[in-house]
Amino acid sequence: MKLIVLDRDGVINEDSDAYVKSLEEWIPIPGSIKAIARLCKAGWTVAVATNQSGLARGLFDATTLGDMHFKLQQLAMEEGGRIDLIVHCPHGPDDGCNCRKPLPGLFQQIAEHFHLDDLRGVPVVGDSQRDLLAGIHLGGVPYLVRTGKGSKALEGSLPTGTQVFDDLAAVVDHLLGAKR
């Protein structure tokens, strides 16, 4: 199985320091949905792992989150792609869970869902250090995008071996061996 794990806010859709709280605020980054479709057409399985502390903070509810994910699925299908699994952490930063990135809980859920012992060699795409750290706990290969908070993440230290790309479309070009 060719599996890839994507962060959501800042990788697939625009991010906001005020949180993405509604369907209207969920806006795809140009080229991201087509990039997902290209992966699917090339035989990749796409999973999304996303922290959604806005739930714990009362900024939106589970129905709204479901609507955002339905919109993501719908847009991907319109381009000939799909998201095979979406997992999210609904907790706040002080809730003491194991699923909030940079902890590996979401990635453990993904591995279990696909009956994998680990995620060794699986590309993990994020726009922050915590996205990448969560994935490498299980052997994932870190890819940082400059979209979202990615440019700011470049100012800090990144996991060893992190490859940096302008956006998700550039990561997909790299993985598929295509030239833009």
Side-chain angles (χ1 to χ4, degrees), residues 1-5 43-47 110-111 114 116 119 121-123:
M1 171 192 316
K2 293 187 291 187
L3 175 64
I4 188 169
V5 181
W44 285 75
T45 298
V46 179
I110 291 168
F114 292 111
L116 302 170
L119 297 177
V122 171

Side-chain angles (χ1 to χ4, degrees), residues 43-80:
W44 285 75
T45 298
V46 179
V48 173
T50 179
N51 284 349
Q52 292 297 320
S53 67
L55 286 168
R57 298 170 198 267
L59 300 175
F60 54 88
D61 59 23
T63 300
T64 301
L65 181 64
D67 291 345
M68 289 185 250
H69 291 166
F70 181 79
K71 180 178 179 179
L72 168 56
Q73 290 281 19
Q74 191 173 33
L75 291 172
M77 288 189 302
E78 287 172 7
E79 293 292 338

Side-chain angles (χ1 to χ4, degrees), residues 94-137:
D94 300 322
D95 289 347
C97 67
N98 182 44
C99 56
R100 185 172 170 78
K101 296 183 280 183
L103 296 174
L106 293 176
F107 289 84
Q108 290 167 336
Q109 289 177 40
I110 291 168
E112 289 170 14
H113 177 84
F114 292 111
H115 308 289
L116 302 170
D117 293 330
D118 57 35
L119 297 177
R120 192 165 320 285
V122 171
V124 174
V125 183
D127 69 326
S128 72
Q129 182 188 45
R130 71 178 177 207
D131 297 328
L132 306 179
L133 289 173
I136 64 173
H137 279 291

Side-chain angles (χ1 to χ4, degrees), residues 8-15 20 25-29 32 148:
R8 195 192 81 171
D9 300 335
V11 174
I12 299 172
N13 58 281
E14 300 290 342
D15 199 358
V20 178
E25 292 176 5
W26 195 94
I27 301 167
I29 292 171
S32 67

